[in-house]
């Protein structure tokens, strides 16, 4: 009979709990058993695919069987130490018929109700109404939301939830909101950085399809923003750089969904400015630009500058991750970033200067990658805040000049491609600075050439040449 065979295959796909602490295991025997199980998963998935083909596909089965199969196979669609190289492609071949174009609502509801909800019921989120998925005005009185955490023993649960979020139909969100949100928030607010990182990834999947009105109506937009902001507090952890790189674009996506940028107001129809302002205000009932700016300010000022740059200064990988994300944030906030130039310019130019005492712990490639990332962010900063950059032109020129002199040495010979990009970005920064402050061409740049034309000609000649030709 096919039913026992199906049951046996699904039993073979149950992920051993030891994978939850795979990176901390030292017992060679247990590690060997896990590796053998991992290598055998592909065989089980192939057998399951072939079995479903004889049954005319997964969609021909009853809803409960479809849900059981999807919950077992979706655990191999995503990140995890238990996933072999070809397991993801096999999982896709089994699950794809269920996602054309979306998961059937009955199958989705059964997965959420019978496979996911029981794992999280022992640790209800203190800020959510579990019956409606709405934000509670006051946190629930719970002893310890982190006690027990049965869901961490259900390996692959995050992948199953992520698969549901990526393939849910937009119109279905309303009916399953109370089933989707609690596990997502449980991951996002966990105290371990690895689970919080998975939570940020799940929020990203959620935001790709959720209706913005549902986020705002249930008060979850503010709850998500607060939790995402808290992700930047997990410093000095191996997952910190990945967490920063995931949290910034996800937070920006949330801000864009819940408070999109307002279109430029039309010019007033009459000569009375007060009437023009009244017309704009009455027509902008949905979007509050103040809320958008406040959230972007929190992300840049509190999360990146006030947390990562201030407290993770000894972790070059965390600083690199935050610097990599700066151009994206600056592009969103625009000229409003000028209020943080006092922090941004010293941060970005300091990394360009050679250290007074060479570091014995920071690898050379990390140092050069940080310099390249800082120059990219500095170029964006100059473009975005051009009207106010003139106040910092001397600081920027001083750092660029010193960095160019250092780049002429043989320090970065081993990393030729990155070193070439570094020099190109130094020249590009001078171009951007000249565009923002034209007077610098005839003043500070000419002084550099006068001081040492052989050294600085390659840095600013591209800017001076058009001027000299006129």
């Amino acid at each position: 009979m096919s039913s026992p065979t199906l049951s046996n295959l699904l039993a073979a796909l149950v992920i051993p709990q030891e994978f939850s602490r795979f990176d901390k295991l030292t017992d060679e025997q247990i590690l060997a058993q896990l590796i053998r199980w991992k290598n055998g998963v592909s065989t089980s998935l192939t057998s399951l695919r072939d079995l479903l083909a004889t049954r005319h596909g997964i969609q021909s089965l009853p809803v409960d069987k479809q849900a059981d199969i999807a919950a077992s196979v979706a655990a191999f669609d995503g990140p995890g130490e238990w996933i072999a190289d070809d397991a993801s492609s096999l999982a896709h071949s089994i699950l794809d018929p269920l996602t054309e174009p979306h998961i059937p609502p009955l199958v989705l509801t059964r997965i959420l109700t019978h496979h996911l909800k029981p794992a999280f019921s022992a640790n209800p989120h203190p800020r959510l109404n579990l019956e409606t998925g709405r934000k509670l005005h006051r946190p629930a009185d719970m002893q310890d939301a982190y006690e027990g955490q049965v869901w961490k023993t259900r390996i692959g649960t995050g992948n199953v939830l992520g698969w549901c979020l990526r393939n849910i139909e937009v119109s279905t969100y309303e009916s399953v909101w109370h089933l989707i949100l609690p596990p997502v928030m449980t991951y996002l607010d966990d105290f371990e950085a690895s689970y919080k990182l998975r939570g940020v990834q799940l929020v990203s999947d959620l935001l790709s399809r959720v209706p913005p009105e549902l986020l705002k109506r249930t008060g979850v937009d503010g709850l998500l923003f607060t939790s995402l902001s808290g992700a930047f507090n997990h410093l000095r952890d191996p997952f910190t750089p990945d967490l920063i790189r995931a949290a910034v674009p996800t937070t920006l996506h949330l801000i864009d969904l819940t408070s999109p940028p307002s279109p430029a107001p039309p010019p007033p129809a009459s000569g009375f400015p007060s009437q023009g302002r009244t017309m704009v205000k009455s027509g902008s009932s949905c979007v509050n630009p103040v809320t958008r700016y406040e959230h972007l300010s929190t992300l840049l000022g509190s999360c990146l500058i006030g947390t990562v740059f201030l407290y993770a200064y000894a972790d070059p990988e965390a600083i690199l991750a935050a610097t990599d994300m700066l151009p994206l944030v600056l592009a969103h906030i625009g000229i409003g970033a000028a209020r943080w130039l006092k922090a941004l310019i010293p941060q970005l130019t300091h990394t360009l200067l050679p250290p007074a005492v060479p570091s014995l712990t920071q690898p050379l490639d990390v140092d050069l990658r940080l310099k390249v990332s800082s120059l990219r962010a500095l170029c964006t900063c100059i473009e975005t805040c051009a009207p106010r950059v003139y106040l910092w032109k001397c600081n920027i020129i001083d750092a660029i000049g010193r960095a160019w002199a250092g780049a002429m040495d043989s320090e970065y010979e081993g990393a030729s491609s990155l070193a070439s990009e570094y020099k190109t970005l130094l020249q590009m920064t001078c171009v951007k600075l000249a565009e923002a402050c034209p007077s610098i061409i005839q003043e500070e740049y000419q002084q550099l050439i006068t001081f040492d034309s052989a050294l600085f000609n390659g840095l600013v000649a591209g800017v001076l040449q058009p001027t000299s030709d006129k």
Side-chain angles (χ1 to χ4, degrees):
M1 295 177 61
S2 60
S3 182
T5 304
L6 178 60
S7 300
N8 292 338
L9 289 174
L10 295 183
L13 295 176
V14 175
I15 305 170
Q17 291 187 10
E18 287 79 7
F19 274 108
S20 64
R21 49 190 178 91
F22 184 82
D23 56 336
K24 300 177 182 178
L25 285 176
T26 57
D27 191 314
E28 295 293 337
Q29 185 176 357
I30 296 178
L31 285 171
Q33 291 174 354
L34 294 179
I35 296 299
R36 282 197 301 271
W37 180 91
K38 177 179 177 179
N39 294 334
V41 164
S42 298
T43 302
S44 300
L45 288 172
T46 301
S47 300
L48 178 60
R49 182 192 61 188
D50 296 342
L51 175 62
L52 292 175
T54 64
R55 298 287 300 271
H56 307 290
I58 188 173
Q59 291 176 306
S60 65
L61 299 176
V63 168
D64 58 337
K65 294 298 183 184
Q66 293 185 47
D68 293 343
I69 294 172
S72 297
V73 176
F76 299 92
D77 181 17
E81 296 288 351
W82 58 89
I83 300 176
D85 293 337
D86 55 346
S88 293
S89 59
L90 287 170
H92 288 163
S93 66
I94 296 172
L95 295 172
D96 281 350
L98 276 181
T99 59
E100 296 177 356
H102 307 292
I103 309 172
L106 291 177
V107 177
L108 173 68
T109 303
R110 184 168 180 87
I111 293 174
L112 295 173
T113 304
H114 290 81
H115 293 275
L116 294 181
K117 185 177 180 179
F120 295 89
S121 59
N123 303 100
H125 196 279
R127 296 289 297 183
L128 286 177
N129 184 323
L130 302 183
E131 300 299 324
T132 63
R134 289 178 174 270
K135 175 187 174 182
L136 293 174
H137 295 292
R138 306 176 75 179
D141 185 14
M142 296 181 182
Q143 205 142 22
D144 190 356
Y146 298 128
E147 187 175 356
Q149 294 191 302
V150 178
W151 59 274
K152 288 186 178 180
T153 65
R154 310 285 179 87
I155 314 302
T157 300
N159 288 350
V160 178
L161 181 58
W163 178 77
C164 292
L165 293 172
R166 291 190 299 272
N167 296 286
I168 187 174
E169 189 174 3
V170 175
S171 60
T172 308
Y173 258 107
E174 189 87 33
S175 60
V176 297
W177 187 240
H178 64 291
L179 298 173
I180 285 178
L181 198 60
V184 171
M185 292 304 303
T186 298
Y187 268 98
L188 183 60
D189 286 337
D190 194 65
F191 65 95
E192 293 186 75
S194 59
Y195 290 101
K196 185 174 284 289
L197 173 60
R198 192 69 184 102
V200 174
Q201 295 165 348
L202 291 172
V203 172
S204 180
D205 292 335
L206 173 76
L207 296 178
S208 66
R209 307 191 66 83
V210 67
E213 298 78 13
L214 182 59
L215 288 173
K216 292 185 281 188
R217 190 173 71 249
T218 57
V220 172
D221 56 338
L223 190 61
L224 285 174
F225 182 80
T226 301
S227 295
L228 287 169
S229 301
F232 296 91
N233 295 324
H234 283 254
L235 304 176
R236 299 179 180 86
D237 189 281
F239 289 95
T240 296
D242 293 334
L243 195 53
I244 294 171
R245 288 189 172 94
V248 169
T250 302
T251 305
L252 290 174
H253 190 182
L254 174 66
I255 294 173
D256 287 341
L257 272 182
T258 56
S259 53
S262 303
S270 66
F272 299 96
S274 59
Q275 293 182 5
R277 285 197 297 267
T278 304
M279 290 173 61
V280 172
K281 182 177 180 181
S282 63
S284 57
S285 58
C286 297
V287 178
N288 185 354
V290 176
T291 302
R292 177 179 174 84
Y293 181 71
E294 287 176 347
H295 285 169
L296 290 171
S297 298
T298 299
L299 178 59
L300 177 60
S302 299
C303 298
L304 292 179
I305 296 175
T307 302
V308 181
F309 288 145
L310 185 60
Y311 295 107
Y313 57 88
D315 185 353
E317 290 290 352
I319 297 297
L320 175 60
T323 307
D324 284 344
M325 294 294 103
L326 269 181
L328 193 58
V329 180
L330 292 173
H332 273 72
I333 198 170
I335 187 61
R339 62 182 287 199
W340 286 284
L341 286 178
K342 186 180 292 187
L344 288 172
I345 299 299
Q347 173 67 38
L348 297 175
T349 56
H350 174 75
T351 59
L352 304 177
L353 303 177
V357 178
S359 174
L360 300 177
T361 58
Q362 181 168 319
L364 186 60
D365 68 312
V366 175
D367 177 67
L368 188 53
R369 284 190 291 130
L370 182 56
K371 290 178 185 295
V372 168
S373 180
S374 297
L375 285 172
R376 290 177 185 148
L378 186 58
C379 286
T380 305
C381 192
I382 292 172
E383 287 181 326
T384 306
C385 305
R388 305 293 294 175
V389 167
Y390 73 93
L391 296 170
W392 298 93
K393 63 179 183 178
C394 293
N395 303 70
I396 298 173
I397 294 173
D398 177 69
I400 295 298
R402 293 173 186 270
W404 180 261
M408 294 298 101
D409 297 336
S410 59
E411 181 181 2
Y412 300 122
E413 284 183 355
S416 57
S417 60
L418 198 59
S420 177
E421 182 183 4
Y422 177 48
K423 294 176 184 178
T424 302
L425 282 170
L426 287 171
Q427 297 168 329
M428 179 60 65
T429 305
C430 290
V431 173
K432 297 293 184 184
L433 192 58
E435 292 173 353
C437 311
S439 63
I440 205 174
I441 299 175
Q442 296 301 327
E443 297 176 2
E444 285 80 2
Y445 287 178
Q446 289 290 353
Q447 292 175 13
L448 285 177
I449 295 297
T450 303
F451 177 73
D452 193 335
S453 60
L455 176 61
F456 293 111
N457 188 63
L459 178 63
V460 298
V463 183
L464 295 175
Q465 189 65 38
T467 304
S468 62
D469 290 344
K470 292 182 180 179

